[in-house]
């Protein structure tokens, strides 16, 4: 069926964007303040007007098709355009409006992104901020985020990416754990100790594949969550390979072989190109850059 340009409603596209942002019809309905049957009806109408299928039934409800994700990505500027118009009608920068979604690893997101987002919202209460935490590689499907912090680099024609900051990953152990074991003075001494780190089989970020260079250590306590790794190290389950900006805040942890083991990993910041000119997105980006610059000593301690 050929597309019907007169039948394509920009309001129906907003419904598609809500599904792309939330991933579910019911969640999109809540976001839009309507019943989920209204969302389904609007999307049926949009599919008929475009002459393509935008949604497929998935294992966990409805999912955007490849064409649906592409349509959502191209329609994404509409979402911010409406916010800009409402802000202009309300008058001045103090009335800035919009929803900004940022994706970040859970540890960095909690300790660095949250303060930056809180500051933006305090200064601009019309802006709604959403933080999604994940250490998995950045997914470019659809328009589910405005900005993303990733470990390593992110390359895509749809994104404008920049280096955000390096950070240190070092070995740490609980003081009680160190007291119960012989001194660790060389890399060879590490072989006798269990390593606390990411689950090998689930580690999808190439830059964090660090365990193989640790003198024969093996992951005996693995977790996909950096805070669980920190807690396991505090409990004496082994020696943790931890983000320094987390571990150095813990008075019960001490560095292990700090001069020999200091991996430098990079955070990158990516922005969807269609969001580069959106005031609310720029404010969040600038606030995050300021937060990182002011606390660089925590990311790479001396």
């Amino acid at each position: 069926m050929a597309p019907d340009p007169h039948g394509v409603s920009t309001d129906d596209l907003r419904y598609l964007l809500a599904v792309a942002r939330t991933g579910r019809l019911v969640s999109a309905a809540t976001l839009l303040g309507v019943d989920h049957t209204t969302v389904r009806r609007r999307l049926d109408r949009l599919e008929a007007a475009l002459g393509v299928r935008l949604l497929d039934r998935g294992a966990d409800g409805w999912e955007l098709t490849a064409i649906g994700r592409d349509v959502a990505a191209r329609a994404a500027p509409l979402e911010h355009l409406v916010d800009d118009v409402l802000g202009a009608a309300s008058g001045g920068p103090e009335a800035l409006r919009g929803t900004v979604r940022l994706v970040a690893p859970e540890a960095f997101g909690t300790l660095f992104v949250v303060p930056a987002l809180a500051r933006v919202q305090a200064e601009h209460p019309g802006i709604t901020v959403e933080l999604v935490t994940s250490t998995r590689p950045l997914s470019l499907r659809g328009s589910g985020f405005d900005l993303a912090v990733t470990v390593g680099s992110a390359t895509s024609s749809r994104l404008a990416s920049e280096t955000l900051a390096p950070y240190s990953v070092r070995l740490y152990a609980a003081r009680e754990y160190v007291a119960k074991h012989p001194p660790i003075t060389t890399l060879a001494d590490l072989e006798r100790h269990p390593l606390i780190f990411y689950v090998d089989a689930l580690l999808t970020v190439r830059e964090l594949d660090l365990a193989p260079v640790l003198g024969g250590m093996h992951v005996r306590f693995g977790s996909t969550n950096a805070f669980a790794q920190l807690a396991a190290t505090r409990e004496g389950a082994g020696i943790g390979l931890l983000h320094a900006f987390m571990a150095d805040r813990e008075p019960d942890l001490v560095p292990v072989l700090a001069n020999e083991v200091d991996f430098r990993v990079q955070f990158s910041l990516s922005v969807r190109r269609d969001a580069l000119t959106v005031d609310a997105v720029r404010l969040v980006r600038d606030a995050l850059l300021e937060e990182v610059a002011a606390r660089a000593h925590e990311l790479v301690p001396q």
Side-chain angles (χ1 to χ4, degrees):
M1 185 192 318
D4 175 14
H6 300 292
V8 177
S9 164
T10 53
D11 197 44
D12 290 345
L13 287 169
R14 287 180 54 244
Y15 281 72
L16 181 67
L17 290 172
V19 174
R21 180 174 286 275
T22 63
R24 297 181 62 88
L25 293 185
V26 174
S27 300
T30 301
L31 182 66
L32 294 166
V34 299
D35 187 83
H36 74 277
T37 58
T38 301
V39 178
R40 177 69 261 190
R41 186 173 65 253
R42 290 296 196 99
L43 293 177
D44 286 343
R45 188 170 70 180
L46 183 59
E47 286 182 333
L50 294 175
V52 295
R53 179 177 290 279
L54 302 173
L55 289 175
D56 275 335
R57 175 74 74 176
D60 187 27
W62 293 91
E63 299 178 349
L64 293 182
T65 64
I67 293 177
R69 293 192 296 270
D70 191 35
V71 170
R74 294 171 186 270
L78 287 173
E79 193 172 31
H80 294 300
L81 179 60
V82 172
D83 290 330
D84 286 346
V85 169
L86 290 172
S90 300
E94 68 278 1
L96 197 63
R97 298 168 57 96
T99 297
V100 181
R101 174 174 287 187
L102 193 151
V103 180
E106 72 273 354
F108 181 82
T110 301
L111 299 178
F112 283 80
V113 177
V114 167
L117 293 182
R119 190 165 63 252
V120 169
Q121 195 169 47
E123 296 173 359
H124 301 275
I127 295 178
T128 297
V129 294
E130 299 176 345
L131 173 61
V132 179
T133 57
S134 172
T135 310
R136 300 182 64 82
L138 182 62
S139 171
L140 304 180
R141 299 172 62 179
S143 54
F145 66 89
D146 299 298
L147 303 102
V149 176
T150 54
V151 178
S153 58
T155 57
S156 169
S157 60
R158 296 182 183 178
L159 302 174
S161 298
E162 59 188 310
T163 299
L164 181 57
Y167 71 98
S168 289
V169 179
R170 300 175 179 177
L171 291 173
Y172 293 85
R175 294 182 185 277
E176 186 176 353
Y177 181 94
V178 171
K180 289 180 178 179
H181 293 83
I184 302 171
T185 59
T186 68
L187 288 173
D189 294 335
L190 294 173
E191 293 186 20
R192 299 190 295 270
H193 298 270
L195 178 64
I196 301 169
F197 197 49
Y198 288 97
V199 179
D200 287 343
L202 299 179
L203 185 57
T204 55
V205 179
R206 175 180 53 82
E207 288 82 359
L208 291 177
D209 189 16
L210 305 174
V213 300
L214 287 176
M217 289 187 83
H218 297 284
V219 177
R220 301 301 185 195
F221 192 113
S223 175
T224 58
N225 185 287
F227 287 106
Q229 297 169 20
L230 181 68
T233 306
R234 256 195 330 252
E235 294 297 326
I239 296 177
L241 185 57
L242 306 174
H243 305 337
F245 65 81
M246 296 175 63
D248 284 343
R249 301 159 65 100
E250 299 289 328
D252 294 333
L253 298 184
V254 294
V256 175
L257 297 180
N259 294 327
E260 289 82 359
V261 181
D262 185 1
F263 298 108
R264 298 295 169 88
V265 189
Q266 174 184 298
F267 283 128
S268 295
L269 178 62
S270 300
V271 185
R272 286 205 337 264
R273 291 191 180 279
D274 59 82
L276 282 170
T277 59
V278 178
D279 288 339
V281 173
R282 286 205 308 269
L283 280 173
V284 170
R285 172 189 173 273
D286 291 347
L288 186 53
L289 291 174
E290 290 172 7
E291 190 74 21
V292 166
R295 300 170 59 191
H297 61 285
E298 297 179 44
L299 292 163
V300 183
Q302 300 301 316

